Amino acid sequence: MSTLIQPPPPSYRKWWWVPATIAVVVVVVAAVLWLPTVFRTDNSCGAGVVHSGPQNECAGVTDGGVVFAPELADIQQRILDENRAVESSGAPSVSIVMLSPMTPGDKTESIVTMSGIRHRLEGAHLAQLAANRTPIWGDTPKIRLLLANPGSDFAEWETAVGEIEARRDIDRIVAVTGIAFSVQNAVRAIEHLTGLQIPVVGSTLTAGDLPILRGFLRVSPTAAEHARTAAEYLATRSKRILIVRDDSPVDHYGRTLAEAFAASFPDDPQRFAGQAEGYDSDIGNVANTFHYMMPNICQNAPDTIYFAGRAAHALDFLTALAERRCREPIQVVTGDDMPYYRLSESPARIALETGVTVLYTGLVHPQAWQDHPERFNRFSVEQFSPDCAGPVCYRAFSDDTLEDFAAVMEHDAVVTAVQAIRQAAGSAGTIVRSEQVLLAMKSLHGATAVRGASGVLSFDENGLPTDKPIPILEALDGKPPRYIELP
């Protein structure tokens, strides 16, 4: 019997596993790339804006189309409408970016308030309308206003600034305004932007130890100037002063106030009632720290406390002061951000019933406009007046008060940028670049100073306004602040 000899299998059967393996690899790779797009949560808040950071805030840049909060919907829609009107006009245009927190965050001691955010947007929009619809600073290029959110504490500044840099050419971005808080991340944002030769105009930045940078202007007097004004006012009105100071290494504001105030009395050490009482807002739980300051405050018996810190913490301090055992009258004097918080809506208001008076150095007040008209721009002041009629009026789109200065200061920051832009453009009204605006900013002094609603803005070589008015105001419960004087 013969043995059958089996022929070898065909080669295609021998290597069947190769195409099968390739097919499996293709399926796996496709699944890795495709399935996450199906199941992941969309990280976008809208064009140019993404969810970012531990608080999941919407950070980035928008023309007004991405609404950061329901309370901002109306003013953002107005900004968007004006931006679209500029685009459809066919006229040469450039963009100014307002870089400032658009979300208050969820921190109980946050220095950002929703009303302050809205007021800043309103002031910037008023300046945009004035630039586009009145000839006072020329009429071209037209101004688009973009809104950039770096997060409530500027923690997402890199996201916002990165978007500004990416859109610099396509949106013709020539200046950045806002940056209203002197926290460390805000400083980093300023340094990055000016390094790109994009000029920055800060609105309510007052810390004195911020870097001196080419193309960086500030429309607010420094915290040191505020402290010196307070010291000048108290020089003949107070005999025993105690300083309460924020020692936070992150926020420069309190330290600047305290150092400048103390330095105003170099030959009068007896003026101070004991050593300064310190707290650290970066650690938090400041209310507890203030509670344990009260025995020393009563023992030292000051007639005045100079509070060198943020108003959010000043309210906690006033609440503690209301519970002090000593009941002699005492006045608390602090800096310019007190009006960002309504005393009447805080437990701190009870302090006013215990012999406490609260004064602060402000940035502007309607009474100062009336008493010293020569120190302000009549045109801008009229736009903020309740009697103003027409579309280029604050009252045309806002019933908010001006007590917190935010609208006026943001208006002046944008006005400063607009004047530099129009000056750089020249009579031809051509499109300008940020580098040209940066150069034009160097001449905003003397006869070509910016006349703003908060005063004449004549900038020195360090980008600081000289001889800026600083009124003394008194905080009242349930009423607008009382005007004391304009030194």
Side-chain angles (χ1 to χ4, degrees), residues 54-279:
Q55 299 189 57
N56 205 33
E57 296 176 272
C58 289
V61 179
T62 179
D63 61 357
V66 177
V67 178
F68 292 108
E71 298 91 332
L72 306 178
D74 180 69
I75 185 60
Q76 286 199 227
Q77 183 62 51
R78 292 176 182 274
I79 291 170
L80 177 62
D81 290 344
E82 182 64 15
N83 287 338
R84 288 175 174 172
V86 168
E87 292 168 359
S88 63
S89 71
S93 67
V94 295
S95 295
I96 296 174
V97 180
M98 178 184 160
L99 174 63
S100 190
M102 304 288 172
T103 45
D106 58 5
K107 293 182 179 179
T108 58
E109 297 176 351
S110 174
I111 61 177
V112 182
T113 65
M114 183 54 70
S115 61
I117 296 169
R118 187 177 65 251
H119 296 168
R120 287 188 176 87
L121 290 173
E122 291 169 346
H125 180 52
L126 180 61
Q128 178 192 24
L129 292 176
N132 290 337
R133 305 188 187 189
T134 61
I136 188 169
W137 299 294
D139 54 9
T140 54
K142 300 292 186 184
I143 303 299
R144 296 174 72 240
L145 182 63
L146 305 182
L147 310 176
N149 184 24
S152 56
D153 55 2
F154 266 86
E156 312 313 314
W157 73 269
E158 290 177 292
T159 299
V161 171
E163 187 67 13
I164 292 173
E165 186 174 358
R167 295 170 60 168
R168 179 180 186 175
D169 293 331
I170 191 171
D171 283 317
R172 299 180 296 281
I173 295 172
V174 297
V176 172
T177 68
I179 315 186
F181 303 101
S182 51
V183 295
Q184 189 59 50
N185 283 333
V187 175
R188 295 187 179 104
I190 295 168
E191 290 174 333
H192 190 90
L193 288 165
T194 54
L196 298 172
Q197 296 195 67
I198 299 177
V200 176
V201 185
S203 57
T204 54
L205 287 171
T206 56
D209 55 353
L210 298 182
I212 303 301
L213 301 168
R214 182 172 177 264
F216 173 39
L217 305 181
R218 290 190 268 173
V219 299
S220 294
T222 65
E225 288 296 326
H226 279 271
R228 284 189 284 268
T229 298
E232 178 183 347
Y233 174 78
L234 294 172
T236 58
R237 295 174 173 85
S238 180
K239 295 181 180 179
R240 290 180 60 80
I241 304 172
L242 178 69
I243 296 176
V244 174
R245 180 188 63 225
D246 186 356
D247 292 326
S248 168
V250 176
D251 190 352
H252 305 249
Y253 182 69
R255 185 169 62 254
T256 303
L257 283 174
E259 291 174 356
F261 185 85
S264 298
F265 299 96
D267 302 321
D268 191 9
Q270 300 304 315
R271 180 72 62 115
F272 295 103
Q275 72 180 63
E277 295 284 344
Y279 69 98

Side-chain angles (χ1 to χ4, degrees), residues 5-82:
I5 300 175
Q6 297 290 336
S11 59
Y12 67 85
R13 290 180 58 189
K14 182 178 180 181
W15 299 100
W16 65 270
W17 58 272
V18 174
T21 302
I22 293 174
V24 170
V25 170
V26 169
V27 170
V28 171
V29 171
V32 169
L33 296 176
W34 177 70
L35 286 177
T37 68
V38 174
F39 294 106
R40 74 186 176 195
T41 300
D42 187 2
N43 194 43
S44 174
C45 302
V49 182
V50 297
H51 289 284
S52 184
Q55 299 189 57
N56 205 33
E57 296 176 272
C58 289
V61 179
T62 179
D63 61 357
V66 177
V67 178
F68 292 108
E71 298 91 332
L72 306 178
D74 180 69
I75 185 60
Q76 286 199 227
Q77 183 62 51
R78 292 176 182 274
I79 291 170
L80 177 62
D81 290 344
E82 182 64 15

Side-chain angles (χ1 to χ4, degrees), residues 397-435:
F397 53 83
S398 177
D399 295 326
D400 292 334
T401 68
L402 302 173
E403 296 170 17
D404 64 4
F405 321 131
V408 175
M409 300 310 296
E410 200 63 53
H411 166 276
D412 282 5
V414 174
V415 164
T416 298
V418 169
Q419 184 165 323
I421 290 167
R422 297 277 169 83
Q423 192 166 309
S427 58
T430 57
I431 297 297
V432 298
R433 295 186 60 82
S434 63
E435 295 87 350

Side-chain angles (χ1 to χ4, degrees), residues 305 314-315 318 321 330-334 338 343 348-349 351-352 355-360 472-476 481-482 484:
I305 293 175
L315 294 181
L318 290 170
L321 195 63
I330 189 170
Q331 65 178 347
V332 176
V333 182
T334 188
M338 174 58 76
L343 189 60
R349 68 182 184 279
L352 301 181
V356 176
T357 303
V358 181
L359 303 181
Y360 59 92
I472 305 293
L473 307 175
E474 179 182 357
L476 303 175
R482 184 168 71 93
I484 304 298

